[in-house]
Amino acid sequence: MFLSSANAPTAPTTSAATGQQPAGSIRGTVYDKDFDIPLSAATVVIVETNQKALTGDQGNFVLEQVPVGRYTLLFTKEGYVRQVKSDVLVAAGQLTDIDVALAGEFTEMDELVVQDVLQGGAGSEAALLSLRFESASLMDSISSDLMSRAGASDAATAVTLVPGVSVQDGKFAVIRGLPDRYVSSQMNGVRLPSADEDTRAVELDQFPAPIIQNIQVSKTFTPDQQGDASGGAVDVRLKGIPSEPVLQSKLQYSVNSNVAGSDFLTYKGGGVDFWGHDDGDRDIQTDSLGEPWTGAVGTTTENPPLDFKWSGTYGARHESDDGFKFGGLASVFYERDSSYYDDGINDSWWVRNAGQPGHVMTPETFQGLPNPGQGDQSFKTGLFDVTQGSQSVKWGGLGTLGLETRDHSINLTGLYTRAAEDTATLAV
C-alpha cells in the first residue's frame, strides 16, 4: 500500500502499471505576411526534439507523434524573416493548431541609375542594338566598345567586323561586293567628298578609333539615303571629346615588286612634291607648238621612289568638378605610293597616214573629220607598246573640339584631304 501527500506534483506520464500517455500532433499554415497568401517550402522545426516539416503548396504542415509537453517552434524560409513561437502546448492525444505569417526580408539599398542604358549611349552595343531594331533598312553597326575589344585602330579595320563588308586596298569600303561607285561615305550623316577625282571612295583609315563613337553601315537603299547610295552607305559617327587621352603614331613602309629594281619612268621636273602641289611647269604649252618647249620634254628614267605611310593622333579631355567636359583630338596622315609597268598596249590612238610622222591623233583631235570606217579608209588603228610610271601623294587632317554639360553638348569637326598624282607615259 502506497500513500502520497496531497501536495505532491503530478508527472506528465503514468506509472508503468497504467501505460504511457499517447502523443499529440501540431498542424498549421504558414502565410506570406505582405501578400496574405500561403507560403510553400517553409521549414518548421521543434527546437526541443529537432522534428522538422516542410509546408506544402497551400502552406500547411503537420508534425506527428509529438510527446506531451511545451515546445518552441521555429519557422524559416530563405528571403523571409524567421519567426519563433514559444510555449506551444501539446496535450495527450490532441491536435494543436498554429498559424504563422512570415514577413519578407528586404535590404534597403542606395539608388542605382544605369545611365548608359537609360540615356542610350551611342557608343554602347545596347543602344546600337535598339537602333537596328527600329531601323526600316537592313543596317548593322559597330560601337566604340566593340572596336576596343576587337583591337581595331581605325574605321577601315572596324568595318570589316560587319558581315558582308570588306575593304579594298586597306581603306575603301565594299558592301556586298559592290565597289565605291555604289557606296556612299558619310561623316556624322554628311556626305564626304573624295580627294581623288577618279573615284568616289573615301579613305576610311584616316579616322582613328579613339574619336569614333560608332559606325553605321546601311546595306539597302531607302528613301532617306542619297540617290547614288544604291549599294549601301557607311556613316562614321565621331565624338566631340575622346573617351580617354590618346597619343599614337604609326609608320608603314612597303615595297612594290613591279617598282623595286626597275628603271622608273619619269621626266624632267616630274614627280609630286611633298604637299602634292603643282607650280604650273607641266601645263601644256599650246603657245609653243612648232617651237622649242621649255621645261619637261620627253621622258627619262631614275631610281624608283619610296612608298610609305605615316599617321599620328593626339587627343585630350578635361572634366571639371561641376560636370563640364572639354576636349578635342587632332589626327594627320600622309601616304606616298607608286606604280610601274612596261608591257601595256594602247589602241586608242589613230594614224591618218600610216608610216608618216606627225599624223598621230586621239579621237578628240579628229572630231568633225570623217569617222574611221565610213568612207575615209586612211584612218588606221595604231597599237603602241606602253611603259608607264606613276607617283601619288595623299595627306589630310581631322580635328574635333567638344564641350559637354549634363544636358547639352557642342561639337566642332573639321576634315581636310588632298591627293595628287603624276604619271609619265612612253608609247612606241
Side-chain angles (χ1 to χ4, degrees), residues 261-282:
S262 66
D263 293 329
F264 192 79
L265 190 67
T266 184
Y267 55 93
K268 180 181 178 181
V272 289
D273 68 1
F274 187 83
W275 299 112
H277 292 282
D278 184 18
D279 56 7
D281 289 343
R282 286 171 283 197

mmCIF file of all heavy atoms in Angstrom, residues 261-282:
data_model
loop_
_atom_site.group_PDB
_atom_site.id
_atom_site.type_symbol
_atom_site.label_atom_id
_atom_site.label_comp_id
_atom_site.label_asym_id
_atom_site.label_seq_id
_atom_site.Cartn_x
_atom_site.Cartn_y
_atom_site.Cartn_z
ATOM 1 N N GLY A 261 63.651 47.862 -108.179
ATOM 2 C CA GLY A 261 64.654 47.376 -109.130
ATOM 3 C C GLY A 261 64.415 47.781 -110.564
ATOM 4 O O GLY A 261 65.166 47.359 -111.457
ATOM 5 N N SER A 262 63.401 48.602 -110.832
ATOM 6 C CA SER A 262 63.093 48.987 -112.210
ATOM 7 C C SER A 262 63.767 50.315 -112.553
ATOM 8 O O SER A 262 64.205 51.058 -111.668
ATOM 9 C CB SER A 262 61.573 49.125 -112.386
ATOM 10 O OG SER A 262 61.084 50.211 -111.602
ATOM 11 N N ASP A 263 63.848 50.585 -113.862
ATOM 12 C CA ASP A 263 64.248 51.920 -114.331
ATOM 13 C C ASP A 263 62.977 52.751 -114.384
ATOM 14 O O ASP A 263 62.283 52.796 -115.412
ATOM 15 C CB ASP A 263 64.914 51.828 -115.701
ATOM 16 C CG ASP A 263 66.253 51.112 -115.648
ATOM 17 O OD1 ASP A 263 66.919 51.208 -114.599
ATOM 18 O OD2 ASP A 263 66.613 50.442 -116.624
ATOM 19 N N PHE A 264 62.680 53.368 -113.273
ATOM 20 C CA PHE A 264 61.391 54.040 -113.118
ATOM 21 C C PHE A 264 61.264 55.185 -114.108
ATOM 22 O O PHE A 264 62.170 56.009 -114.256
ATOM 23 C CB PHE A 264 61.239 54.553 -111.689
ATOM 24 C CG PHE A 264 59.844 54.998 -111.356
ATOM 25 C CD1 PHE A 264 58.868 54.075 -111.044
ATOM 26 C CD2 PHE A 264 59.508 56.342 -111.367
ATOM 27 C CE1 PHE A 264 57.581 54.473 -110.740
ATOM 28 C CE2 PHE A 264 58.230 56.757 -111.074
ATOM 29 C CZ PHE A 264 57.260 55.821 -110.758
ATOM 30 N N LEU A 265 60.129 55.212 -114.807
ATOM 31 C CA LEU A 265 59.914 56.195 -115.860
ATOM 32 C C LEU A 265 59.406 57.516 -115.270
ATOM 33 O O LEU A 265 58.453 57.528 -114.481
ATOM 34 C CB LEU A 265 58.892 55.671 -116.871
ATOM 35 C CG LEU A 265 58.744 56.493 -118.156
ATOM 36 C CD1 LEU A 265 60.013 56.411 -118.992
ATOM 37 C CD2 LEU A 265 57.535 55.996 -118.962
ATOM 38 N N THR A 266 60.071 58.607 -115.659
ATOM 39 C CA THR A 266 59.638 59.936 -115.222
ATOM 40 C C THR A 266 60.079 60.941 -116.293
ATOM 41 O O THR A 266 60.341 60.557 -117.434
ATOM 42 C CB THR A 266 60.228 60.296 -113.844
ATOM 43 O OG1 THR A 266 59.717 61.564 -113.418
ATOM 44 C CG2 THR A 266 61.731 60.315 -113.865
ATOM 45 N N TYR A 267 60.174 62.192 -115.948
ATOM 46 C CA TYR A 267 60.593 63.223 -116.884
ATOM 47 C C TYR A 267 61.219 64.362 -116.096
ATOM 48 O O TYR A 267 61.119 64.415 -114.852
ATOM 49 C CB TYR A 267 59.422 63.722 -117.729
ATOM 50 C CG TYR A 267 58.250 64.212 -116.925
ATOM 51 C CD1 TYR A 267 58.121 65.549 -116.578
ATOM 52 C CD2 TYR A 267 57.266 63.331 -116.499
ATOM 53 C CE1 TYR A 267 57.061 66.005 -115.825
ATOM 54 C CE2 TYR A 267 56.184 63.768 -115.744
ATOM 55 C CZ TYR A 267 56.078 65.101 -115.419
ATOM 56 O OH TYR A 267 55.028 65.540 -114.666
ATOM 57 N N LYS A 268 61.840 65.274 -116.793
ATOM 58 C CA LYS A 268 62.495 66.398 -116.132
ATOM 59 C C LYS A 268 61.452 67.246 -115.395
ATOM 60 O O LYS A 268 60.482 67.707 -115.991
ATOM 61 C CB LYS A 268 63.230 67.258 -117.157
ATOM 62 C CG LYS A 268 63.948 68.448 -116.547
ATOM 63 C CD LYS A 268 64.634 69.276 -117.619
ATOM 64 C CE LYS A 268 65.313 70.504 -117.006
ATOM 65 N NZ LYS A 268 65.962 71.347 -118.033
ATOM 66 N N GLY A 269 61.675 67.403 -114.098
ATOM 67 C CA GLY A 269 60.723 68.149 -113.278
ATOM 68 C C GLY A 269 59.520 67.335 -112.876
ATOM 69 O O GLY A 269 58.548 67.881 -112.327
ATOM 70 N N GLY A 270 59.536 66.016 -113.145
ATOM 71 C CA GLY A 270 58.381 65.179 -112.837
ATOM 72 C C GLY A 270 58.321 64.770 -111.375
ATOM 73 O O GLY A 270 59.165 65.136 -110.556
ATOM 74 N N GLY A 271 57.332 63.972 -111.064
ATOM 75 C CA GLY A 271 57.099 63.555 -109.692
ATOM 76 C C GLY A 271 56.142 64.494 -108.990
ATOM 77 O O GLY A 271 55.627 65.456 -109.566
ATOM 78 N N VAL A 272 55.887 64.217 -107.737
ATOM 79 C CA VAL A 272 55.000 65.058 -106.927
ATOM 80 C C VAL A 272 55.796 65.619 -105.763
ATOM 81 O O VAL A 272 56.647 64.934 -105.187
ATOM 82 C CB VAL A 272 53.784 64.252 -106.411
ATOM 83 C CG1 VAL A 272 52.823 63.935 -107.533
ATOM 84 C CG2 VAL A 272 54.228 62.954 -105.729
ATOM 85 N N ASP A 273 55.530 66.884 -105.419
ATOM 86 C CA ASP A 273 56.241 67.449 -104.281
ATOM 87 C C ASP A 273 55.606 66.960 -102.981
ATOM 88 O O ASP A 273 54.625 66.215 -102.981
ATOM 89 C CB ASP A 273 56.269 68.973 -104.353
ATOM 90 C CG ASP A 273 54.887 69.594 -104.172
ATOM 91 O OD1 ASP A 273 53.916 68.843 -103.971
ATOM 92 O OD2 ASP A 273 54.776 70.826 -104.233
ATOM 93 N N PHE A 274 56.178 67.376 -101.865
ATOM 94 C CA PHE A 274 55.782 66.816 -100.572
ATOM 95 C C PHE A 274 54.303 67.038 -100.290
ATOM 96 O O PHE A 274 53.615 66.148 -99.774
ATOM 97 C CB PHE A 274 56.633 67.441 -99.463
ATOM 98 C CG PHE A 274 56.419 66.804 -98.120
ATOM 99 C CD1 PHE A 274 57.079 65.637 -97.782
ATOM 100 C CD2 PHE A 274 55.541 67.361 -97.196
ATOM 101 C CE1 PHE A 274 56.872 65.038 -96.544
ATOM 102 C CE2 PHE A 274 55.333 66.770 -95.968
ATOM 103 C CZ PHE A 274 56.005 65.606 -95.639
ATOM 104 N N TRP A 275 53.762 68.203 -100.600
ATOM 105 C CA TRP A 275 52.372 68.526 -100.290
ATOM 106 C C TRP A 275 51.432 68.300 -101.462
ATOM 107 O O TRP A 275 50.244 68.606 -101.371
ATOM 108 C CB TRP A 275 52.251 69.973 -99.818
ATOM 109 C CG TRP A 275 53.027 70.261 -98.580
ATOM 110 C CD1 TRP A 275 54.127 71.052 -98.460
ATOM 111 C CD2 TRP A 275 52.767 69.740 -97.274
ATOM 112 N NE1 TRP A 275 54.569 71.067 -97.166
ATOM 113 C CE2 TRP A 275 53.760 70.262 -96.412
ATOM 114 C CE3 TRP A 275 51.818 68.874 -96.734
ATOM 115 C CZ2 TRP A 275 53.812 69.967 -95.055
ATOM 116 C CZ3 TRP A 275 51.864 68.563 -95.384
ATOM 117 C CH2 TRP A 275 52.852 69.103 -94.567
ATOM 118 N N GLY A 276 51.924 67.782 -102.577
ATOM 119 C CA GLY A 276 51.058 67.478 -103.692
ATOM 120 C C GLY A 276 50.602 68.684 -104.481
ATOM 121 O O GLY A 276 49.516 68.660 -105.084
ATOM 122 N N HIS A 277 51.403 69.751 -104.520
ATOM 123 C CA HIS A 277 51.059 70.951 -105.285
ATOM 124 C C HIS A 277 51.846 70.983 -106.594
ATOM 125 O O HIS A 277 52.926 70.397 -106.710
ATOM 126 C CB HIS A 277 51.350 72.211 -104.475
ATOM 127 C CG HIS A 277 50.449 72.377 -103.287
ATOM 128 N ND1 HIS A 277 49.162 72.836 -103.377
ATOM 129 C CD2 HIS A 277 50.671 72.135 -101.972
ATOM 130 C CE1 HIS A 277 48.608 72.873 -102.174
ATOM 131 N NE2 HIS A 277 49.515 72.452 -101.294
ATOM 132 N N ASP A 278 51.325 71.697 -107.573
ATOM 133 C CA ASP A 278 51.973 71.844 -108.871
ATOM 134 C C ASP A 278 52.224 73.328 -109.117
ATOM 135 O O ASP A 278 51.340 74.163 -108.905
ATOM 136 C CB ASP A 278 51.070 71.267 -109.962
ATOM 137 C CG ASP A 278 51.737 71.305 -111.333
ATOM 138 O OD1 ASP A 278 52.972 71.452 -111.376
ATOM 139 O OD2 ASP A 278 51.016 71.188 -112.328
ATOM 140 N N ASP A 279 53.438 73.644 -109.590
ATOM 141 C CA ASP A 279 53.779 75.049 -109.833
ATOM 142 C C ASP A 279 53.429 75.507 -111.251
ATOM 143 O O ASP A 279 53.722 76.642 -111.632
ATOM 144 C CB ASP A 279 55.269 75.292 -109.569
ATOM 145 C CG ASP A 279 56.152 74.372 -110.399
ATOM 146 O OD1 ASP A 279 55.602 73.652 -111.267
ATOM 147 O OD2 ASP A 279 57.369 74.367 -110.181
ATOM 148 N N GLY A 280 52.828 74.644 -112.056
ATOM 149 C CA GLY A 280 52.409 75.030 -113.397
ATOM 150 C C GLY A 280 53.407 74.739 -114.491
ATOM 151 O O GLY A 280 53.114 74.979 -115.683
ATOM 152 N N ASP A 281 54.595 74.222 -114.181
ATOM 153 C CA ASP A 281 55.609 73.966 -115.212
ATOM 154 C C ASP A 281 55.216 72.820 -116.143
ATOM 155 O O ASP A 281 55.792 72.681 -117.224
ATOM 156 C CB ASP A 281 56.952 73.638 -114.552
ATOM 157 C CG ASP A 281 57.585 74.872 -113.906
ATOM 158 O OD1 ASP A 281 57.146 75.994 -114.262
ATOM 159 O OD2 ASP A 281 58.479 74.715 -113.063
ATOM 160 N N ARG A 282 54.250 72.006 -115.707
ATOM 161 C CA ARG A 282 53.879 70.857 -116.524
ATOM 162 C C ARG A 282 52.630 71.103 -117.364
ATOM 163 O O ARG A 282 52.074 70.177 -117.943
ATOM 164 C CB ARG A 282 53.669 69.642 -115.618
ATOM 165 C CG ARG A 282 54.958 69.058 -115.099
ATOM 166 C CD ARG A 282 54.740 68.019 -114.058
ATOM 167 N NE ARG A 282 54.396 68.625 -112.770
ATOM 168 C CZ ARG A 282 54.463 67.985 -111.612
ATOM 169 N NH1 ARG A 282 54.825 66.730 -111.581
ATOM 170 N NH2 ARG A 282 54.156 68.594 -110.495
#
